Amino acid sequence: MYITRNDRFLSPMFIAGESYGTFRAAGLAGTLLGQGFAVNGIVLISTILDYGVIRTSPRSSVAYSLLLPTYTADAWYHKKARRRSAEGLAVDASRI
């Protein structure tokens, strides 16, 4: 309606989606294309396109390896790590 009322057919159209909105942005772009409106671009902010990288599973070690730096930093912050310095932890983590 906005495009028709304001004669904006020749204006570039971009869609932005943040977090779970990234899936909605992709879906909206497909819906608009089906109705004859092609978007010029989609901005995906803080997106995750592969949920396998955050879900831990005995069949995949990817999530564990990506979570290790966060868990290490948490342990250091709460004084549960054996090393006293963040630099020492970073050196240890780089060896894994």
Side-chain angles (χ1 to χ4, degrees), residues 51-92:
Y51 279 95
V53 300
I54 63 166
R55 290 190 181 139
T56 55
S57 166
R59 292 174 279 155
S60 174
S61 62
V62 174
Y64 294 106
S65 62
L66 294 175
L67 291 171
L68 180 63
T70 301
Y71 290 159
T72 303
D74 289 345
W76 175 79
Y77 179 81
H78 292 287
K79 298 180 180 15
K80 300 294 181 183
R82 291 183 183 154
R83 292 243 183 211
R84 294 186 187 263
S85 72
E87 292 80 15
L89 286 171
V91 169
D92 288 349

Side-chain angles (χ1 to χ4, degrees), residues 2-93:
Y2 174 84
I3 294 171
T4 304
R5 286 183 184 170
N6 296 286
D7 193 27
R8 304 301 295 189
F9 289 102
L10 299 178
S11 298
M13 186 181 346
F14 293 89
I15 299 172
E18 190 269 332
S19 188
Y20 287 102
T22 58
F23 290 104
R24 294 182 189 102
L28 177 59
T31 299
L32 288 172
L33 186 60
Q35 295 177 3
F37 295 98
V39 298
N40 295 89
I42 302 174
V43 180
L44 304 177
I45 305 163
S46 185
T47 184
I48 183 160
L49 298 177
D50 182 2
Y51 279 95
V53 300
I54 63 166
R55 290 190 181 139
T56 55
S57 166
R59 292 174 279 155
S60 174
S61 62
V62 174
Y64 294 106
S65 62
L66 294 175
L67 291 171
L68 180 63
T70 301
Y71 290 159
T72 303
D74 289 345
W76 175 79
Y77 179 81
H78 292 287
K79 298 180 180 15
K80 300 294 181 183
R82 291 183 183 154
R83 292 243 183 211
R84 294 186 187 263
S85 72
E87 292 80 15
L89 286 171
V91 169
D92 288 349

